[in-house]
Amino acid sequence: MRAPLRAINGYAEILKEEYADKLDDEGNRLLNIVHASAIKLGELIDDILAFSRLGRKELTKRPVEMVELVHQVVDEVAQSPYWNADVKINIEDLPNAMGDQSMLKQALFNLIENALKYSSKEEKIEITIGSNAEEGESVYFIKDNGIGINMEYKDKIFGVFQRLHSSKTFEGTGVGLAIVRKIIERHGGKIWLESEEGIGSTFYFKL
Ligand code: ADP
């Protein structure tokens, strides 16, 4: 899939660089769409590969300091273009977990980045990462005050390529939550959410 895609990309770039003045405005507009779509397809392929590799990757379970891991992830998410001046992140005391540190980091990254992305149209963004104890088990949660999700789609959004928004409103490929669910399930855990449109969402998981 990558080889023909490289050709589409490469030839579209050559056309843009060397033939732009021979095309009229409409021709250039169409060429830009071809190029942007080829780039998007590349992103989709990367994400689906990451998703399928995850199924084969061996799990190395060790004690994980969740507070430390969440701090690392928040520092990375802070580089995102969605981060604006008015972001408040509350990191509560979190119990340590037993799991694969790099996979858990990926899951936390996807959830926290989503919390930020889907709140980015709010004036003030507030995200809380915390935990509850449920029947002796630790439940971790990521809560945001973003656009929220219609609960009719609470299962669908964990599917590969399933998105509730167009790329024009929020960029994305629709693979992030599928990866999160796979990571949590490979740990023998469970993920679910509570949400209200216009109010915000809370994603919960236990391992
Ligand atoms: P992506 O963000 O690339 O679209 P995801 O798999 O991470 O893909 O999410 C799937 C869909 O679930 C998103 O397109 C969005 O509609 C919805 N979603 C995920 N997280 C949130 C959130 N925190 N708030 C609102 N909607 C969300």
Side-chain angles (χ1 to χ4, degrees):
M1 281 166 91
R2 281 197 191 285
L5 185 61
R6 252 196 309 276
I8 297 171
N9 245 324
Y11 286 114
E13 274 164 27
I14 295 172
L15 272 174
K16 280 173 78 170
E17 278 166 24
E18 296 180 15
Y19 293 85
D21 52 352
K22 294 197 174 62
L23 292 171
D24 61 10
D25 285 353
E26 181 62 2
N28 275 303
R29 190 182 72 82
L30 297 177
L31 178 56
N32 281 330
I33 296 175
V34 171
H35 192 212
S37 303
I39 292 173
K40 182 81 197 173
L41 182 56
E43 288 168 9
L44 291 170
I45 293 173
D46 285 347
D47 282 1
I48 200 74
L49 273 176
F51 178 73
S52 88
R53 282 199 193 110
L54 200 60
R56 293 192 301 270
K57 208 176 149 210
E58 231 170 278
L59 222 69
T60 323
K61 279 195 184 179
R62 294 211 175 90
V64 178
E65 286 195 25
M66 290 295 268
V67 172
E68 162 64 23
L69 196 61
V70 167
H71 276 282
Q72 281 178 27
V73 169
V74 168
D75 285 347
E76 286 176 25
V77 173
Q79 311 303 318
S80 145
Y82 297 107
W83 190 276
N84 67 32
D86 231 331
V87 183
K88 186 165 179 242
I89 306 257
N90 310 306
I91 304 174
E92 296 181 352
D93 230 4
L94 302 172
N96 290 344
M98 191 66 181
D100 184 298
Q101 172 139 342
S102 70
M103 284 197 198
L104 291 180
K105 187 174 181 189
Q106 176 75 64
L108 285 166
F109 183 91
N110 292 5
L111 290 171
I112 298 172
E113 190 188 52
N114 274 353
L116 179 71
K117 175 161 73 170
Y118 295 104
S119 307
S120 57
K121 297 205 174 15
E122 307 302 319
E123 242 169 66
K124 284 187 182 348
I125 300 176
E126 182 159 358
I127 296 169
T128 303
I129 300 116
S131 73
N132 303 316
E134 242 176 49
E135 294 162 6
E137 279 183 302
S138 302
V139 174
Y140 300 91
F141 67 81
I142 292 92
K143 178 177 175 13
D144 67 58
N145 64 334
I147 52 165
I149 297 164
N150 180 336
M151 287 298 277
E152 208 182 306
Y153 303 113
K154 67 178 176 29
D155 298 319
K156 196 176 169 194
I157 55 169
F158 291 101
V160 175
F161 296 146
Q162 297 295 339
R163 310 199 66 217
L164 302 182
H165 307 96
S166 80
S167 306
K168 284 203 185 97
T169 350
F170 291 102
E171 278 182 18
T173 55
V175 183
L177 283 181
I179 288 180
V180 175
R181 185 170 68 177
K182 194 176 248 186
I183 291 173
I184 302 301
E185 287 180 354
R186 288 218 45 206
H187 280 79
K190 194 181 148 207
I191 179 158
W192 68 100
L193 70 133
E194 277 168 12
S195 186
E196 206 177 320
E197 283 178 287
I199 305 286
S201 310
T202 308
F203 283 81
Y204 299 89
F205 70 86
K206 57 182 179 184
L207 296 173

